[in-house]
Amino acid sequence: MPVCQTRPAPAPLLNPGETVVLFDGVCKLCNGWARFLIRHDHPRRVRLAAVQSPEGQALLAWAGLPLDQFDTLAVIRDHHYWVRSEAVFEIIAQLPATWRALLLLRFIPRGLRDWAYDRVARNRYRLFGKYDSCLLPHPDHDQRFLKGRL
C-alpha cells in the first residue's frame, strides 16, 4: 500500500490545502490525541472531525474507508489521504518544529510501524477506555472542528 492514497476528486467539505484529522470520537486515546493537537497546533494547520459526525462520515465515504468500524485515524488534504502510522507522521509534520524530531521514527520500516499501530488500535477501548458518546468540543475549540458545512 502506498504511503499516501489519492482520489480523483478533491475531498468534500474542505477548502483547498486544508488538512483534517478524522478520529474516533468515543475513544479516550483518540480524544486525547485531538486535545493534544488543539493544544500544540498553534498555527491551526489541522482541523478535526469525529468519524461518527456527518462530516466524518462524508470524508470516510469519499476515501472509501469503512463507515461503521473504523480502527485508524486518517488525515485528509485535497485529493490525498493517509492512514495508520503514515497519518501520525503527516500530523507531526504539521506541528511546530519542536515536535518534528519524532519524524525520525519514520525510518522504522512501515510494516513494523503499522503492525504496532494496529495492535494499539484494535485494543484501544480495552487499554484506554471508551466514552458512551462523542464528546462535544469546548466552546473555545469549536472552530477547530469541521462542522456545519453539509
Side-chain angles (χ1 to χ4, degrees):
M1 177 185 246
V3 172
C4 168
Q5 298 290 319
T6 303
R7 305 296 291 173
L13 311 172
L14 306 183
N15 295 321
E18 186 174 35
T19 300
V20 171
V21 174
L22 296 179
F23 69 100
D24 182 348
V26 298
C27 170
K28 289 186 177 183
L29 172 65
C30 304
N31 272 274
W33 182 236
R35 285 190 302 273
F36 172 85
L37 288 173
I38 289 169
R39 190 170 47 251
H40 295 287
D41 178 24
H42 302 292
R44 297 178 179 245
R45 293 181 180 170
V46 175
R47 305 267 317 266
L48 300 161
V51 295
Q52 294 87 351
S53 70
E55 295 81 6
Q57 289 285 295
L59 290 170
L60 288 174
W62 168 84
L65 295 170
L67 300 178
D68 56 348
Q69 191 162 14
F70 196 74
D71 61 357
T72 183
L73 57 87
V75 175
I76 298 176
R77 183 181 321 110
D78 298 325
H79 291 264
H80 310 287
Y81 70 94
W82 297 260
V83 294
R84 299 164 81 194
S85 66
E86 287 299 329
V88 173
F89 288 123
E90 191 60 29
I91 294 166
I92 291 168
Q94 301 298 312
L95 292 173
T98 55
W99 295 100
R100 295 205 187 120
L102 293 172
L103 293 174
L104 292 173
L105 294 172
R106 205 174 227 162
F107 288 110
I108 297 171
R110 188 164 36 123
L112 183 59
R113 285 186 277 129
D114 284 344
W115 178 86
Y117 183 98
D118 290 344
R119 297 295 122 352
V120 173
R122 288 186 188 130
N123 295 293
R124 69 190 184 277
Y125 297 145
R126 185 174 54 79
L127 294 171
F128 301 98
K130 180 178 177 180
Y131 296 111
D132 291 331
S133 62
C134 289
L135 294 181
L136 297 175
H138 188 280
D140 291 343
H141 303 148
D142 197 46
Q143 70 276 10
R144 300 301 298 270
F145 286 79
L146 184 67
K147 64 178 203 152
R149 295 186 187 184
L150 289 177

